[in-house]
Amino acid sequence: MSGDWQTQQTVLTKKATSKDRRGTSAVNRASRSGNVDVDKKYGGGGNQQKTGQKNTAVLDRETEELKHEAVSKDFSKHLREARTNKGWTQKDMAQKINEKPQVIQEYETGKALPNNQVQSKMERILGVHLRGKDAGKVMQPRGKNKNLRRSPYCV
């Protein structure tokens, strides 16, 4: 009865994937067998941009020159004076121009990036020129100037 049973050995192997076929060991095995020609491609195997090295002094100069323009000290001074003359806190003024109090604080400390829209809101609400040749002077009310002589042709 023992002769009826035949023993059969089975070896379980992992199915080769495409990654296994492209690996360095598979490439080496194929080149040793002589069946495959393996050539390394020039510039193959990546999406890398290779540029020439820059001179470090040039690079240092470039990084130092790249700074954002901040609000001038005169603007900050005129803004602070006009706000305190009105008796407003930074929070009060921020609410009147629909901005955050941090924006007013940055403008008064000179750290804010100039934004013409915000600056013109500040000028209008304070009634004072904050920039330009008339900085610090009170703005004239808009409308018809009564000092001009009326033209006889205007009705």
Side-chain angles (χ1 to χ4, degrees):
M1 223 166 154
S2 66
D4 294 338
W5 293 93
Q6 293 180 354
T7 58
Q8 187 179 15
Q9 289 184 342
T10 58
V11 178
L12 297 174
T13 59
K14 185 175 132 181
K15 187 176 178 182
T17 61
S18 62
K19 185 177 180 182
D20 295 336
R21 286 184 233 124
R22 283 184 274 135
T24 54
S25 61
V27 171
N28 290 339
R29 198 176 326 114
S31 63
R32 276 185 296 225
S33 69
N35 297 341
V36 178
D37 224 8
V38 180
D39 293 327
K40 190 156 183 132
K41 291 182 181 179
Y42 173 77
N47 187 14
Q48 298 176 353
Q49 295 181 351
K50 297 185 180 181
T51 59
Q53 292 181 347
K54 276 192 164 184
N55 187 359
T56 55
V58 173
L59 188 61
D60 286 341
R61 265 187 262 120
E62 277 185 9
T63 55
E64 288 175 9
E65 293 172 7
L66 297 176
K67 291 183 180 177
H68 293 290
E69 181 183 339
V71 177
S72 69
K73 295 293 179 187
D74 290 334
F75 183 89
S76 300
K77 184 181 84 170
H78 294 306
L79 174 62
R80 194 176 314 110
E81 288 174 0
R83 181 183 58 80
T84 53
N85 287 345
K86 291 268 188 177
W88 295 340
T89 62
Q90 289 179 348
K91 185 177 179 182
D92 294 337
M93 185 174 167
Q95 285 177 345
K96 291 181 188 301
I97 65 169
N98 295 328
E99 294 290 339
K100 294 182 180 180
Q102 290 85 3
V103 173
I104 306 299
Q105 181 183 5
E106 288 175 358
Y107 273 96
E108 286 189 358
T109 56
K111 295 179 183 177
L113 298 176
N115 183 343
N116 286 333
Q117 188 176 14
V118 175
Q119 289 175 342
S120 63
K121 280 189 210 177
M122 290 177 182
E123 286 179 335
R124 260 182 281 140
I125 202 76
L126 293 170
V128 176
H129 289 284
L130 299 174
R131 54 198 165 151
K133 64 180 182 178
D134 295 333
K137 295 181 182 175
V138 178
M139 296 175 89
Q140 295 296 322
R142 291 191 140 191
K144 292 183 180 178
N145 192 348
K146 295 179 180 178
N147 296 335
L148 292 177
R149 204 168 89 192
R150 285 189 84 144
S151 170
Y153 301 106
C154 291
V155 178

